[in-house]
Amino acid sequence: MIGDERFYAASYALAFQRDIWEVRLRNTTTHYPLARRDPIFTPLFTSFFTAIGFGATTAGVLGSLTTALVTTAITVGIQAAMAPKPPKPEDGKAPMTQSVPNRHWVIGTTRMAGAYMLWEALGSQLFAVQGIAGHAIQSFNRFYLHDDEVTLDGSSNVIGLSDGRYSHNLVQIYSRLGANPETAYAPMVGAFGGAGIWTNGHRGDGQASVGMVAKTPKAKDFSTRFPFNIPRLSVEVSGAKVWDFRNPAQDPDDPATWTFSKNPALQLAWHWCFSEFGHRRDYRKAILPVLDMWMEEADVCDELIAISGGGVEKRYECSGWDTTEREPKVGTNAILAACDGWLCERGDGALLFTAGKFRESRVATLTDDDITGHRILYDVLFEEEINRLVPKFNYPDVGYSTSDTDFFEDEDRQLLAGRVLAEDANFQWVTNWRQARRLGWREWQRILQKVRGSLNVRLSGINAVYSRWVRLSTPKRLPRLDGKLIENRRAVLDLMRGGFSLEVVQHPDNIDQWSTALEGQKPAAPAKPNAAGVPAPVINSAVAAASGGSVYLNVSIVDPDDDSLTPAVRYRIQDTGGGVPGSWVEKTIVNVDASGGFILCSTDVVPGDQWLDVQAFLISAKGKYSDPSATESVFSTVNPVAPPAPTIGAITTGVPGEVTINWTAPNSSLYAGAHVYYNTVNNPTTATFNSPTLAGAPNGSYGRTITRPPGTYYAWVASVNASGIEGTRTPTGPFTVT
């Protein structure tokens, strides 16, 4: 009987599929031939019947059967308030204490304390082991006892602070990166191995952890050595290594070849396909079929954005941690929020990802014939009004805690409302205040549009479901929005209506028109004296300055208003190979005066064309150092001069689905390579970068073959110098791919 039920269920599903594709779809559109159904759309239907065991008794389930296809970052509004969230940044400063703690996972660089795996006293000593992450990590960068940053000597002893805090080798700190197999903590084994509490078998294979041994000082010294009572350990870590699919040397099946990265696109692929705590999808189905798209989005996240005072920083970076207490979708939303991301699951299981930068190549079109119903609001209800938006982020300068940036507001709407109606935009996995401002700007422009609602779309509009941006060609149904661009914020497959439901918002034309004038002010960080009584400095900006083929750093710190303090700056190469940072190089700045509330510190020559970590210190008249400032990332551009434009050669379109663009490099020593872009409209600003950069030499002849669907395209070629500085994008003119 069971076999008969399966036979009838399968037959019913097949009949339903045939009805959808051969009757309904073909009667509503000529855009999608039957060949389109197999790899893309059919699995959306057949998976339902497999999951629910389709039969006569379950037919009624279809009345309410819907499934979301699109996931968009939720940072503002009622949905954001109701959605589950990852832990707040400040929650990571104290280790979890529970009998069976949830495992942690971490990406990017952030501060956390994990959960206690061991907390036992033996005689005058306290032994603690804290599980930091249920996977291997890149590095431990800083150690904190309470909120005091401490350093270790060669024997893992905490170096005492100048006021006697933690001195006399009272505290030892150990760490494990999560190798497999890992090494047990010898002091813990020595203390508890005989009792079987902690043995050599307690290695923590594949688990990153820290261990601490604290000795009880004499009673008269206790308040001096441990002024905040028993030490509580937390750490700044650089988390999981991820597969960079842009690097041919990295193997998705061999984590030993992966590298650490803060790139949200790489992290999202790891979270969906490789993390034990993620969605556990097969990367061969989820990523490889659309690998070019993921490579493009990773490049978008790594694009360099100009910052005030000169210099650049990456467009989007992501750093955060979560526990297995929450569903994987919580981490997905946090990563998407860090890059204004958009994710769509296609019928064949492929994941379509788009980061926050508009491109015409990501636009589909909906016509009057594709839409069966709509509900569009051209303003918002009073209770949903937002006239001030406050971006929030994880601020390293205040010990990795939630902080605000300057807000965005509409004073005219405030006058109409009679009061300020403020809303937070939560970017909890962003640690860069400028990035939080850029993300807040994008969300604020959407809020100002006011136009939002939903569309009921026929199966003929399937391309719109799989696109982040949709252009409306609706002179009859929606004349006010005819020719306008809308953003697909959520798409739902609705079988009973024979198509899809799309939640949409009008796309702001100026969403990508960011400038350094919009940065605002760096959030204030209250001065925090260290044990020596010297406040930690605050870096306002750190930029590279090139001169005569060399490059040095200009670091502007906030004036501490104390002439007895001498500033110092140090830097190191972020990655000397294999994710290992270089050694710190320090320079003390003498005979420098404050101007305009800032002190400008210039270094000696630094390594060129490298990403550098930069920190500042203040030194007292007695030679005592402050705690370091928060770390700034700076790219040391040696040559800021853009090379001349190339000469465009033949455009070859003889091969179906391909175009080859040829050019001749300029006769200039500045030329080191070229970037190639393409677009479906004549707009270089929104063009798609065809990765990677094609290296070359002056006067050389080069070509790049691009694979694209049939249609009319435009392309541009831009010269690039050795520092990655791009020249003018030279157009090829329109061409047709067959």
Side-chain angles (χ1 to χ4, degrees), residues 388-408:
R388 174 180 290 176
L389 185 70
V390 185
K392 292 182 176 292
F393 73 112
N394 181 7
Y395 197 16
D397 283 21
V398 292
Y400 287 96
S401 298
T402 303
S403 183
D404 301 347
T405 71
D406 290 345
F407 51 76
F408 302 97

mmCIF file of all heavy atoms in Angstrom, residues 388-408:
data_model
loop_
_atom_site.group_PDB
_atom_site.id
_atom_site.type_symbol
_atom_site.label_atom_id
_atom_site.label_comp_id
_atom_site.label_asym_id
_atom_site.label_seq_id
_atom_site.Cartn_x
_atom_site.Cartn_y
_atom_site.Cartn_z
ATOM 1 N N ARG A 388 14.275 60.275 11.462
ATOM 2 C CA ARG A 388 15.679 60.277 11.887
ATOM 3 C C ARG A 388 16.161 58.833 11.939
ATOM 4 O O ARG A 388 15.489 57.976 12.511
ATOM 5 C CB ARG A 388 15.858 60.941 13.246
ATOM 6 C CG ARG A 388 17.297 60.829 13.779
ATOM 7 C CD ARG A 388 17.463 61.483 15.132
ATOM 8 N NE ARG A 388 17.380 62.935 15.036
ATOM 9 C CZ ARG A 388 17.423 63.759 16.084
ATOM 10 N NH1 ARG A 388 17.519 63.252 17.313
ATOM 11 N NH2 ARG A 388 17.352 65.070 15.918
ATOM 12 N N LEU A 389 17.319 58.586 11.342
ATOM 13 C CA LEU A 389 17.893 57.243 11.334
ATOM 14 C C LEU A 389 19.264 57.284 12.001
ATOM 15 O O LEU A 389 20.117 58.093 11.630
ATOM 16 C CB LEU A 389 18.027 56.721 9.903
ATOM 17 C CG LEU A 389 18.502 55.269 9.783
ATOM 18 C CD1 LEU A 389 17.426 54.315 10.266
ATOM 19 C CD2 LEU A 389 18.892 54.942 8.341
ATOM 20 N N VAL A 390 19.457 56.404 12.984
ATOM 21 C CA VAL A 390 20.690 56.377 13.766
ATOM 22 C C VAL A 390 21.422 55.063 13.491
ATOM 23 O O VAL A 390 21.021 54.009 13.981
ATOM 24 C CB VAL A 390 20.403 56.499 15.268
ATOM 25 C CG1 VAL A 390 21.724 56.583 16.046
ATOM 26 C CG2 VAL A 390 19.517 57.703 15.560
ATOM 27 N N PRO A 391 22.488 55.092 12.683
ATOM 28 C CA PRO A 391 23.260 53.854 12.455
ATOM 29 C C PRO A 391 24.023 53.447 13.713
ATOM 30 O O PRO A 391 24.660 54.274 14.361
ATOM 31 C CB PRO A 391 24.229 54.239 11.333
ATOM 32 C CG PRO A 391 23.653 55.486 10.710
ATOM 33 C CD PRO A 391 22.965 56.197 11.829
ATOM 34 N N LYS A 392 23.954 52.162 14.057
ATOM 35 C CA LYS A 392 24.673 51.610 15.207
ATOM 36 C C LYS A 392 25.622 50.524 14.725
ATOM 37 O O LYS A 392 25.315 49.792 13.782
ATOM 38 C CB LYS A 392 23.700 51.042 16.238
ATOM 39 C CG LYS A 392 22.856 52.096 16.947
ATOM 40 C CD LYS A 392 21.958 51.460 17.990
ATOM 41 C CE LYS A 392 21.184 52.505 18.778
ATOM 42 N NZ LYS A 392 22.046 53.320 19.653
ATOM 43 N N PHE A 393 26.771 50.432 15.386
ATOM 44 C CA PHE A 393 27.785 49.474 14.968
ATOM 45 C C PHE A 393 28.606 49.040 16.165
ATOM 46 O O PHE A 393 28.408 49.539 17.284
ATOM 47 C CB PHE A 393 28.678 50.086 13.879
ATOM 48 C CG PHE A 393 29.649 51.127 14.386
ATOM 49 C CD1 PHE A 393 31.013 50.894 14.378
ATOM 50 C CD2 PHE A 393 29.188 52.356 14.874
ATOM 51 C CE1 PHE A 393 31.906 51.850 14.844
ATOM 52 C CE2 PHE A 393 30.070 53.313 15.335
ATOM 53 C CZ PHE A 393 31.440 53.053 15.318
ATOM 54 N N ASN A 394 29.516 48.109 15.961
ATOM 55 C CA ASN A 394 30.397 47.576 17.005
ATOM 56 C C ASN A 394 31.700 48.369 16.973
ATOM 57 O O ASN A 394 32.488 48.220 16.048
ATOM 58 C CB ASN A 394 30.641 46.085 16.747
ATOM 59 C CG ASN A 394 31.521 45.450 17.804
ATOM 60 O OD1 ASN A 394 31.857 46.058 18.805
ATOM 61 N ND2 ASN A 394 31.907 44.201 17.566
ATOM 62 N N TYR A 395 31.923 49.183 18.000
ATOM 63 C CA TYR A 395 33.011 50.175 17.976
ATOM 64 C C TYR A 395 34.226 49.672 18.748
ATOM 65 O O TYR A 395 34.199 49.566 19.977
ATOM 66 C CB TYR A 395 32.504 51.463 18.595
ATOM 67 C CG TYR A 395 33.326 52.702 18.305
ATOM 68 C CD1 TYR A 395 34.261 52.751 17.283
ATOM 69 C CD2 TYR A 395 33.152 53.854 19.063
ATOM 70 C CE1 TYR A 395 34.995 53.888 17.010
ATOM 71 C CE2 TYR A 395 33.868 55.019 18.804
ATOM 72 C CZ TYR A 395 34.792 55.023 17.780
ATOM 73 O OH TYR A 395 35.524 56.151 17.512
ATOM 74 N N PRO A 396 35.335 49.359 18.067
ATOM 75 C CA PRO A 396 36.534 48.889 18.785
ATOM 76 C C PRO A 396 37.103 49.923 19.747
ATOM 77 O O PRO A 396 37.704 49.553 20.759
ATOM 78 C CB PRO A 396 37.529 48.589 17.648
ATOM 79 C CG PRO A 396 36.679 48.366 16.436
ATOM 80 C CD PRO A 396 35.509 49.291 16.603
ATOM 81 N N ASP A 397 36.928 51.220 19.457
ATOM 82 C CA ASP A 397 37.524 52.261 20.294
ATOM 83 C C ASP A 397 36.940 52.296 21.698
ATOM 84 O O ASP A 397 37.544 52.883 22.603
ATOM 85 C CB ASP A 397 37.345 53.638 19.640
ATOM 86 C CG ASP A 397 38.313 53.854 18.491
ATOM 87 O OD1 ASP A 397 38.817 52.856 17.949
ATOM 88 O OD2 ASP A 397 38.561 55.016 18.122
ATOM 89 N N VAL A 398 35.773 51.718 21.895
ATOM 90 C CA VAL A 398 35.182 51.662 23.239
ATOM 91 C C VAL A 398 35.116 50.208 23.697
ATOM 92 O O VAL A 398 34.170 49.787 24.358
ATOM 93 C CB VAL A 398 33.790 52.331 23.275
ATOM 94 C CG1 VAL A 398 33.911 53.818 23.076
ATOM 95 C CG2 VAL A 398 32.854 51.739 22.220
ATOM 96 N N GLY A 399 36.145 49.452 23.340
ATOM 97 C CA GLY A 399 36.253 48.078 23.815
ATOM 98 C C GLY A 399 35.298 47.120 23.157
ATOM 99 O O GLY A 399 34.848 46.170 23.789
ATOM 100 N N TYR A 400 34.959 47.360 21.898
ATOM 101 C CA TYR A 400 34.002 46.534 21.155
ATOM 102 C C TYR A 400 32.644 46.533 21.859
ATOM 103 O O TYR A 400 32.202 45.542 22.438
ATOM 104 C CB TYR A 400 34.527 45.102 20.991
ATOM 105 C CG TYR A 400 35.650 44.979 20.003
ATOM 106 C CD1 TYR A 400 36.987 44.990 20.428
ATOM 107 C CD2 TYR A 400 35.400 44.876 18.648
ATOM 108 C CE1 TYR A 400 38.028 44.888 19.516
ATOM 109 C CE2 TYR A 400 36.438 44.775 17.725
ATOM 110 C CZ TYR A 400 37.745 44.791 18.165
ATOM 111 O OH TYR A 400 38.760 44.698 17.258
ATOM 112 N N SER A 401 32.005 47.676 21.784
ATOM 113 C CA SER A 401 30.655 47.849 22.316
ATOM 114 C C SER A 401 29.812 48.577 21.280
ATOM 115 O O SER A 401 30.348 49.241 20.379
ATOM 116 C CB SER A 401 30.672 48.650 23.629
ATOM 117 O OG SER A 401 31.399 47.972 24.630
ATOM 118 N N THR A 402 28.491 48.489 21.427
ATOM 119 C CA THR A 402 27.591 49.163 20.504
ATOM 120 C C THR A 402 27.721 50.674 20.639
ATOM 121 O O THR A 402 27.743 51.213 21.748
ATOM 122 C CB THR A 402 26.134 48.744 20.769
ATOM 123 O OG1 THR A 402 26.031 47.322 20.657
ATOM 124 C CG2 THR A 402 25.196 49.388 19.773
ATOM 125 N N SER A 403 27.825 51.350 19.505
ATOM 126 C CA SER A 403 27.955 52.800 19.507
ATOM 127 C C SER A 403 27.170 53.376 18.334
ATOM 128 O O SER A 403 26.821 52.662 17.392
ATOM 129 C CB SER A 403 29.423 53.209 19.413
ATOM 130 O OG SER A 403 29.583 54.622 19.478
ATOM 131 N N ASP A 404 26.875 54.676 18.417
ATOM 132 C CA ASP A 404 26.162 55.376 17.351
ATOM 133 C C ASP A 404 27.158 56.121 16.464
ATOM 134 O O ASP A 404 28.231 56.528 16.906
ATOM 135 C CB ASP A 404 25.187 56.411 17.913
ATOM 136 C CG ASP A 404 24.138 55.799 18.826
ATOM 137 O OD1 ASP A 404 24.016 54.571 18.831
ATOM 138 O OD2 ASP A 404 23.464 56.574 19.529
ATOM 139 N N THR A 405 26.770 56.324 15.210
ATOM 140 C CA THR A 405 27.440 57.305 14.368
ATOM 141 C C THR A 405 26.544 58.543 14.294
ATOM 142 O O THR A 405 25.449 58.576 14.869
ATOM 143 C CB THR A 405 27.670 56.765 12.953
ATOM 144 O OG1 THR A 405 26.409 56.678 12.270
ATOM 145 C CG2 THR A 405 28.318 55.394 12.983
ATOM 146 N N ASP A 406 26.988 59.578 13.592
ATOM 147 C CA ASP A 406 26.105 60.713 13.328
ATOM 148 C C ASP A 406 24.857 60.211 12.613
ATOM 149 O O ASP A 406 24.922 59.319 11.765
ATOM 150 C CB ASP A 406 26.817 61.747 12.453
ATOM 151 C CG ASP A 406 27.927 62.469 13.196
ATOM 152 O OD1 ASP A 406 27.958 62.377 14.430
ATOM 153 O OD2 ASP A 406 28.769 63.103 12.531
ATOM 154 N N PHE A 407 23.720 60.798 12.963
ATOM 155 C CA PHE A 407 22.463 60.322 12.391
ATOM 156 C C PHE A 407 22.100 61.088 11.125
ATOM 157 O O PHE A 407 22.679 62.127 10.801
ATOM 158 C CB PHE A 407 21.325 60.433 13.409
ATOM 159 C CG PHE A 407 21.200 61.784 14.065
ATOM 160 C CD1 PHE A 407 20.659 62.869 13.394
ATOM 161 C CD2 PHE A 407 21.636 61.972 15.373
ATOM 162 C CE1 PHE A 407 20.545 64.107 13.992
ATOM 163 C CE2 PHE A 407 21.528 63.215 15.993
ATOM 164 C CZ PHE A 407 20.984 64.281 15.298
ATOM 165 N N PHE A 408 21.133 60.542 10.392
ATOM 166 C CA PHE A 408 20.527 61.200 9.235
ATOM 167 C C PHE A 408 19.112 61.617 9.635
ATOM 168 O O PHE A 408 18.421 60.869 10.331
ATOM 169 C CB PHE A 408 20.459 60.251 8.035
ATOM 170 C CG PHE A 408 21.790 59.716 7.606
ATOM 171 C CD1 PHE A 408 22.225 58.473 8.036
ATOM 172 C CD2 PHE A 408 22.620 60.445 6.771
ATOM 173 C CE1 PHE A 408 23.446 57.962 7.644
ATOM 174 C CE2 PHE A 408 23.846 59.948 6.375
ATOM 175 C CZ PHE A 408 24.264 58.704 6.816
#
